[in-house]
């Protein structure tokens, strides 16, 4: 049961990241550098929390299911990494060009969260 709960927590955390970024992006007249710092901080904290969680549930997965799960885990980390990169670009350049990187990061986060939710539903029905 712990493995399934970890998947659910992972999905909720990724969706919370998108919600928090969208909310912070609504602050009027916010400098791109400040928004970049917020995005970079949120995504870094999330990836720092997700890696131990992912390692924990990966250690409990059967050997035949591990390669497919690793693809999902790497995709999750990559999408959050793209979001962190967007924050870094905005922080360093102090302009909104990093916002363009948020789009694939956010869309990738939705795909990864949906894939995790799908796996969770499949495991619940077993």
């Amino acid at each position: 049961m712990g493995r399934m709960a970890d998947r659910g927590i992972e999905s909720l955390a990724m969706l919370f990241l998108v919600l928090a970024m969208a909310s912070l992006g609504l602050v009027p007249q916010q400098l791109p550098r400040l928004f970049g710092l917020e995005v970079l901080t949120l995504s870094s904290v999330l990836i720092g929390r997700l890696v131990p969680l992912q390692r924990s549930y990966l250690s409990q997965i059967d050997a035949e299911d591990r390669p497919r799960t690793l693809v999902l885990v790497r995709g999750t980390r990559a999408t959050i990494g793209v979001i962190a990169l967007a924050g870094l670009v905005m922080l360093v350049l102090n302009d909104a060009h990093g916002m363009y990187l948020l789009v694939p990061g956010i869309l990738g986060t939705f795909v990864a969260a949906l894939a995790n939710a799908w796996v969770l539903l499949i495991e619940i029905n077993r």
Side-chain angles (χ1 to χ4, degrees):
M1 182 64 177
R3 184 172 86 190
M4 289 189 295
D6 290 347
R7 294 273 184 134
I9 290 169
E10 183 178 12
S11 294
L12 286 174
M14 289 186 298
L15 294 173
F16 176 76
L17 171 66
V18 172
L19 179 66
M21 285 187 321
S23 299
L24 290 170
L26 294 174
V27 175
Q29 299 176 354
Q30 180 170 215
L31 296 173
R33 179 168 280 153
L34 181 58
F35 183 56
L37 177 64
E38 293 164 350
V39 169
L40 180 61
T41 301
L42 283 172
S43 55
S44 298
V45 167
L46 179 62
I47 201 73
R49 296 292 192 177
L50 285 186
V51 168
L53 182 76
Q54 291 168 336
R55 284 185 180 165
S56 172
Y57 74 69
L58 281 171
S59 69
Q60 300 172 10
I61 290 179
D62 299 332
E64 67 268 3
D65 294 331
R66 193 167 291 129
R68 286 180 289 174
T69 305
L70 278 171
V71 168
L72 184 57
V73 166
R74 289 180 184 136
T76 298
R77 292 178 186 175
T79 58
I80 297 170
V82 169
I83 291 171
L85 179 62
L88 183 63
V89 167
M90 287 185 286
L91 177 64
V92 171
L93 298 179
N94 194 27
D95 68 17
H97 285 91
M99 297 283 283
Y100 293 109
L101 286 171
L102 285 179
V103 175
I106 289 170
L107 293 176
T109 300
F110 288 148
V111 169
L114 279 170
N116 264 340
W118 180 258
V119 169
L120 182 60
L121 285 173
I122 297 294
E123 288 185 10
I124 288 172
N125 285 327
R126 269 194 220 183

